[in-house]
Amino acid sequence: MKTAIPTTPTPDDAALWHAGALYLADQRILPERAEFLRYERPGEVAEAIRDMVVRGAPAIGVTAAYGVVLAGRAAYASAGADWKTAIETDLERLAASRPTAVNLFWAIRRMRDRIGQLDASDPTQALLEEALAIHQEDRAANRRLGDLGAELIERPTDIITHCNAGAIATGGYGTALGVVRSAYAAGKLGRVYADETRPWMQGARLTAWELMHDGIPVTLQADGAAASLMVGGSVGWVIVGSDRIAANGDVANKIGTYGLAILAKYHGIKVMVAAPTSTVDMDVASGAEIPIEERDPQELLSCGGRRLAPAGCVARNPVFDVTPAALVDAIVTERGVVLDPTREKMLELMSGGAHASG
Ligand code: MRU
């Protein structure tokens, strides 16, 4: 963990705890400006998640965990020994910030478990230790799954990624971009083609920034350009992250991932989903049960603060879609790899079964 806040955030700095406050790299303005915002109030952390200051499923989970630390501190300051009752409103506000990324609920549940073990005294230090552990474990999980994913790539190839599943979307190193980093270090990666990812442009703003920061070759392309690239034959894998993986291996990820997976199937290109097990939700049987966030249509009607569509134009803005397990060749987690995912294989993975199951 960093002991001081750098002047400008690097890709590894989505969320940092320093001197009693949470610092979030403002992902809405990167890479044009690199700034931290400072948080001391849990309600403001919930707003930061909702407003995309921090985004990416694991980074949202890590941030929520720090938000619970702030909530515990505030509850003890206002209610003393009754802090466990007083904290509830803030826990609910954090849980209501975004609906799809299950890492949010996973982190809050884990913090709740810790709360359950505590007595009536000031919980701040114990909660902080738990949040720091969640952060550290996510970073370690990404390193591990990055290496496991890279092992699946048999020969040097170009890859396509969608959205940003990088260090800035996680506790560090990245999931899809963790695989990219490990594959690049192993000499197995030619070039990353990053879909720009309308409407928030996570690919253009964040993936391109991260990979250029690390000196990994990256080419930006419009979301609609993937099919024409696949025809050329240089792309061996589509590698993406996930916001929630259902018990049958269906994968929710950034809107457009489903279409990309269909294109990959048609062109004989493999699809890898890289995510820590905190993204797996065994409580939802299939992707049909995953709540899909719909955001304000204004995000689509304008770009960079400039109105694009005619006044009165109707728009829909679902920000995630579900890729059926049948289109996924590998789910890569820190616990192991699931090839051609099925309900049985996911259950084996999550109940501590085989390291790699095909
Ligand atoms: O809306 P976002 O930017 O939070 O969506 C992020 C994604 O879809 C990522 O691919 C996913 O969270 C995995 S991040 C490691």
Side-chain angles (χ1 to χ4, degrees):
M1 287 304 141
K2 295 198 175 168
T3 52
I5 298 301
T7 2
T8 57
T10 72
D12 245 356
D13 298 330
L16 297 175
W17 182 270
H18 179 66
L22 172 65
Y23 290 77
L24 298 175
D26 189 346
Q27 298 196 36
R28 300 167 303 180
I29 57 172
L30 277 168
E32 195 185 354
R33 281 176 291 142
E35 288 172 14
F36 284 106
L37 297 177
R38 185 173 188 276
Y39 295 89
E40 284 193 83
R41 281 194 273 270
E44 290 173 0
V45 175
E47 283 169 21
I49 295 171
R50 184 198 63 203
D51 296 345
M52 308 280 285
V53 172
V54 62
R55 34 66 51 199
I60 291 171
V62 167
T63 300
Y66 288 125
V68 175
V69 180
L70 296 173
R73 187 171 71 187
Y76 188 73
S78 65
D82 275 342
W83 68 266
K84 286 193 190 186
T85 309
I87 199 173
E88 276 305 317
T89 311
D90 281 329
L91 295 185
E92 281 161 24
R93 280 167 87 179
L94 283 165
S97 56
R98 289 190 78 186
T100 304
V102 77
N103 308 62
L104 171 72
F105 309 101
W106 174 90
I108 293 172
R109 190 166 57 232
R110 184 158 149 183
M111 294 302 284
R112 272 189 186 281
D113 289 347
R114 188 72 188 101
I115 287 170
Q117 297 161 352
L118 299 177
D119 61 21
S121 61
D122 185 351
T124 312
Q125 187 55 32
L127 293 179
L128 177 59
E129 279 164 22
E130 192 69 10
L132 289 168
I134 286 173
H135 192 164
Q136 191 59 47
E137 286 167 28
D138 185 68
R139 191 189 303 258
N142 295 336
R143 285 226 163 243
R144 173 85 187 125
L145 70 87
D147 289 350
L148 290 175
E151 281 172 21
L152 291 179
I153 300 173
E154 286 167 354
R155 62 190 73 85
T157 184
D158 294 343
I159 71 109
I160 297 177
T161 192
H162 191 69
C163 194
N164 170 268
I168 196 79
T170 66
Y173 199 65
T175 56
L177 295 193
V179 175
V180 161
R181 286 186 165 93
S182 294
Y184 186 68
K188 291 180 170 178
L189 193 118
R191 178 162 288 272
V192 177
Y193 289 88
D195 288 353
E196 63 177 354
T197 321
R198 282 277 289 149
W200 273 83
M201 302 292 190
Q202 291 94 330
R205 296 187 303 102
L206 303 172
T207 298
W209 171 69
E210 266 202 56
L211 295 180
M212 289 170 73
H213 180 274
D214 281 18
I216 297 175
V218 56
T219 297
L220 184 64
Q221 63 181 3
D223 295 336
S228 69
L229 175 69
M230 288 177 176
V231 171
S234 74
V235 175
W237 286 89
V238 166
I239 306 179
V240 292
S242 173
D243 288 80
R244 195 184 297 221
I245 300 172
N248 68 344
D250 289 350
V251 170
N253 191 46
K254 180 53 56 194
I255 191 79
T257 304
Y258 177 28
L260 200 57
I262 293 171
L263 292 177
K265 188 73 154 181
Y266 182 80
H267 291 94
I269 291 167
K270 291 187 171 175
V271 174
M272 185 191 305
V273 176
T277 47
S278 54
T279 302
V280 179
D281 185 354
M282 295 303 281
D283 291 338
V284 300
S286 76
E289 292 175 21
I290 297 176
I292 299 296
E293 180 180 11
E294 292 257 356
R295 292 184 70 89
D296 189 341
Q298 288 306 327
E299 294 179 351
L300 210 62
L301 294 167
S302 307
C303 189
R306 189 174 148 249
R307 174 103 195 172
L308 296 176
C313 177
V314 176
R316 60 184 282 269
N317 189 19
V319 300
F320 300 101
D321 59 24
V322 174
T323 300
L327 295 177
V328 176
D329 293 283
I331 292 176
V332 179
T333 76
E334 80 283 10
R335 287 199 206 164
V337 172
V338 177
L339 301 176
D340 304 319
T342 61
R343 193 177 310 279
E344 293 67 35
K345 291 181 194 175
M346 291 306 294
L347 194 58
E348 191 187 355
L349 175 87
M350 294 307 285
S351 54
H355 165 71
S357 57

